Amino acid sequence: MTTSSENQELVVVTGASTGMGAATAHELARRGFHVLAGVRREADGEAIRTAGVEPFILDITDPEHVAALPSLVGNRTLRAVVNNAGVGGIGPVEVLPLDDWRRIFEVNLFGHIAVTKTLTPSLVRSRGRIVNISSLNGKFAMAGYGSYSASKFALEATSDALRQELTPHGVHVVVIEPGGVKTAMAGHGPAGVDHVAGKMTRDQSARYGGLLHAIPGHVAAFTAAGVTSEVAARTIARAVTDRRPRTRYTIGRPAAVLTRLTRILPDRALDRLAAADLGRHYPSA
């Protein structure tokens, strides 16, 4: 006798092509869920397809893709939506073009809001939960990462509002705050730096050249010290399955420590901490 996905609780995972998203889809399938795994390309879907993982094409910034989600879910029990899709953002606030800011917010914030709004009726019916993948950078901003941090700070605030709005209706809203995770996104750092450096004026190069030199090394070191996607996926799966989930889960020791420090240290002390962390990667001259 075959087991039909119609008899399994569903979880929708966005950004499931690689990294944490793919690992989370497989971890949840291992725990008995049927996972609708949103990917950008057919080849990505075939790479992650396995028992319990059903890939489908999803660009969370495409209104037609988002509008199709309720029909994919149908009348099945939707246990959770894991809003994991995301893009990085590197560059000083003065330099990064506004179009880049808009693209980052379209993916890291507005796309998640669109998915959440569309699937909220299904989640209310099933008393499910929303799991938003934020970041340590959603609590702790650093020079050169302003656009990415801003999008994650905004996601944190949106999650707090959602939690207050939906808790009375039986829907849990959970935020995940990873520190370093060994994913493919970290490899995009040098390309992002080149993109920004090519747009700087001579004066801007004098102001930010050292910072842009430091960022790729900082990203590489932070990622190398991080956890694997599989370890991160187990925490995300806990957020989906814990009977009484916490409002926030951190992933990795740096995230646990730094999110606590943001609550007790004054701003200037946090500035010095961030500057010292980046300073190790500046040119020596």
Side-chain angles (χ1 to χ4, degrees):
M1 182 178 67
T2 59
T3 301
S4 169
S5 65
E6 297 294 324
N7 301 321
Q8 294 175 284
E9 289 185 307
L10 288 183
V11 179
V12 173
V13 179
T14 70
S17 296
T18 60
M20 282 196 303
T24 298
H26 289 135
E27 178 65 21
L28 289 168
R30 187 183 68 79
R31 297 186 184 213
F33 295 100
H34 186 79
V35 180
L36 294 176
V39 299
R40 295 289 301 275
R41 299 176 302 177
E42 295 287 351
D44 295 334
E46 292 309 310
I48 67 166
R49 186 185 299 276
T50 188
V53 176
E54 179 186 343
F56 69 103
I57 299 298
L58 174 65
D59 177 348
I60 65 172
T61 68
D62 186 321
E64 291 185 1
H65 288 194
V66 174
L69 286 170
S71 64
L72 285 173
V73 171
N75 294 321
R76 293 179 288 182
T77 300
L78 182 60
R79 175 63 172 269
V81 174
V82 179
N83 285 311
N84 172 73
V87 294
I90 291 173
V93 173
E94 179 189 359
V95 176
L96 193 69
L98 277 176
D99 283 348
D100 288 29
W101 281 83
R102 293 186 179 102
R103 178 184 63 85
I104 290 162
F105 269 74
E106 283 293 337
V107 179
N108 291 354
L109 180 66
F110 301 133
H112 297 321
I113 292 172
V115 169
T116 300
K117 285 166 62 72
T118 300
L119 290 177
T120 291
S122 297
L123 290 164
V124 170
R125 285 196 300 272
S126 62
R127 300 178 72 84
R129 60 191 63 176
I130 299 161
V131 179
N132 288 332
I133 309 301
S134 179
S135 169
L136 164 61
N137 293 108
K139 292 291 190 182
F140 182 66
M142 300 179 70
Y145 298 90
S147 57
Y148 181 73
S149 287
S151 68
K152 293 299 187 179
F153 268 71
L155 182 62
E156 297 259 353
T158 302
S159 300
D160 287 341
L162 267 174
R163 185 180 66 251
Q164 295 172 50
E165 292 163 1
L166 292 178
T167 293
H169 305 286
V171 177
H172 290 288
V173 179
V174 182
V175 175
I176 307 292
E177 296 166 340
V181 179
K182 296 179 173 72
T183 68
M185 185 181 291
H188 301 160
V193 166
D194 291 343
H195 168 72
V196 173
K199 298 180 181 300
M200 291 199 299
T201 66
R202 182 177 298 177
D203 286 346
Q204 290 170 342
S205 294
R207 280 194 285 275
Y208 307 120
L211 173 61
L212 289 184
H213 181 280
I215 285 175
H218 179 259
V219 170
F222 190 67
T223 303
V227 302
T228 65
S229 295
E230 288 71 25
V231 169
R234 289 197 287 272
T235 297
I236 297 169
R238 281 184 55 202
V240 172
T241 59
D242 281 354
R243 188 174 66 85
R244 296 187 64 183
R246 303 201 301 262
T247 58
R248 282 172 168 81
Y249 294 76
T250 57
I251 295 176
R253 186 172 182 273
V257 171
L258 284 169
T259 53
R260 286 178 174 83
L261 289 179
T262 60
R263 297 196 291 267
I264 60 176
L265 289 181
D267 289 343
R268 299 297 186 190
L270 290 170
D271 290 349
R272 290 192 293 271
L273 184 66
D277 191 30
L278 274 168
R280 294 194 293 270
H281 305 280
Y282 269 68
S284 57

